[in-house]
Amino acid sequence: MGGLPSNKYAAVCAAGHCTVYVQVGAGVRVRQGDRWQVYCPADAPQEGGAGAGQSAGTATAHSAANRFAGPCMECSVQVEAGAGVLVPGDDGKRGVQCPVCQVVAFRCERWDESDQFGTDPWIPDAVLPGCAPAISLRILALSRECWKCKESTVCVVGLYPMHPARTDRWARWVDKDVLVWVRPLLAGAGFEKIAESIKPRWSSTVNGRYLSNGCQRCDALQGDFPVEEAVFDLVREDGVDALDTLLVVEVPTPMWQRVVHGERGSGSALLM
Ligand SMILES: [Zn+2]
Ligand SMILES: [Zn+2]
């Protein structure tokens, strides 16, 4: 018997020169200082090296792979049987976690400064094995009175999976980075007027230009702050369905996971 314990979390190999993405159980974990590091088999430190002895008595329950296919409890991306892990949700029930959300959780928990403030992307561009390549999302909108011309105007405000996991309860706020790719999707689906009204505008509140919702009639900026406030009030009362579904789109999985987690695990604003 013996050997180093296998890794509980998928992660990029901790060896400086190596960028291999190590799936759960495919590598080893080694305790270094006060944290666990994951290594691919090729870079696994020799047993008996620094810290290896400490791990011997640490009996940790290995997270089980998911026996059934299901949506990831965080990003709602469909995960095939065996491709994710089962983790406890905030309601205490176990749910499936996809390998990407697993790594983000691991890196957030580990909170290594050079990792947090590094430059490598946390969300891989390639879809990981066993995860659906795309997800259906509802583009959520709010019709409200333009502060300037008093006509009704449509603001694009949120994204929410068409088939959300039980634990994925709140829509995500559409910020200026998300509007960049939402705008052409709207234009392509016949919402040219709304798409054209999304453009860079000057805001004195933020003292800069940003890609913003505007009035379809008079072009006045519909500022993030007042719109967000109106959205929060509605959603708090009646949930996601208080907003209009403008369109349902198929979006590549990594694009959606970047919305969910932010580039480096900072997350997106939840409409709740
Ligand atoms: Zn996920
Ligand atoms: Zn107007």
Side-chain angles (χ1 to χ4, degrees):
M1 272 306 290
L4 294 165
S6 62
N7 54 316
K8 272 174 68 186
Y9 301 99
V12 174
C13 176
H17 61 275
C18 183
T19 55
V20 166
Y21 186 86
V22 189
Q23 297 286 357
V24 175
V28 296
R29 63 193 167 103
V30 178
R31 190 157 179 100
Q32 287 172 344
D34 58 353
R35 70 171 74 99
W36 291 96
Q37 298 282 22
V38 173
Y39 288 90
C40 72
D43 289 311
Q46 288 306 307
E47 215 190 332
Q54 297 169 15
S55 62
T58 323
T60 347
H62 284 240
S63 11
N66 55 317
R67 277 178 63 204
F68 302 102
C72 170
M73 60 192 293
E74 284 176 67
C75 70
S76 295
V77 165
Q78 187 70 16
V79 183
E80 284 172 23
V85 288
L86 290 174
V87 293
D90 51 13
D91 56 0
K93 293 183 190 151
R94 295 212 296 175
V96 181
Q97 193 180 38
C98 78
V100 168
C101 291
Q102 215 183 318
V103 170
V104 171
F106 170 76
R107 295 173 85 158
C108 284
E109 204 175 304
R110 182 177 62 176
W111 219 90
D112 177 321
E113 247 177 69
S114 61
D115 187 29
Q116 291 283 335
F117 304 108
T119 51
D120 65 315
W122 282 26
I123 314 288
D125 284 328
V127 177
L128 297 177
C131 298
I135 182 168
S136 288
L137 299 176
R138 291 158 62 177
I139 298 181
L140 303 172
L142 170 70
S143 295
R144 68 195 293 266
E145 185 183 277
C146 167
W147 59 270
K148 199 171 178 187
C149 73
K150 310 293 179 201
E151 288 287 315
S152 174
T153 188
V154 176
C155 296
V156 177
V157 294
L159 289 174
Y160 190 58
M162 194 58 196
H163 306 289
R166 176 179 44 81
T167 44
D168 189 5
R169 282 187 293 269
W170 311 106
R172 312 274 166 170
W173 170 249
V174 167
D175 65 11
K176 58 190 187 334
D177 299 325
V178 178
L179 281 177
V180 170
W181 57 261
V182 164
R183 181 169 54 165
L185 293 177
L186 290 171
F191 293 97
E192 288 91 351
K193 252 195 116 129
I194 296 172
E196 281 164 22
S197 70
I198 298 170
K199 59 188 187 192
R201 288 183 184 81
W202 175 265
S203 156
S204 50
T205 316
V206 297
N207 196 28
R209 287 170 79 78
Y210 70 99
L211 197 58
S212 53
N213 281 294
C215 175
Q216 280 100 48
R217 182 163 177 264
C218 76
D219 201 45
L221 167 75
Q222 308 296 307
D224 275 0
F225 296 116
V227 172
E228 226 173 324
E229 212 172 321
V231 169
F232 281 118
D233 283 347
L234 268 175
V235 171
R236 209 171 294 130
E237 287 276 299
D238 297 312
V240 171
D241 291 325
L243 302 167
D244 303 323
T245 297
L246 209 52
L247 185 64
V248 176
V249 287
E250 282 277 302
V251 169
T253 291
M255 213 147 109
W256 170 239
Q257 288 169 330
R258 276 186 201 112
V259 175
V260 171
H261 293 297
E263 286 293 338
R264 311 192 69 73
S266 54
S268 50
L270 295 171
L271 302 182
M272 62 193 291

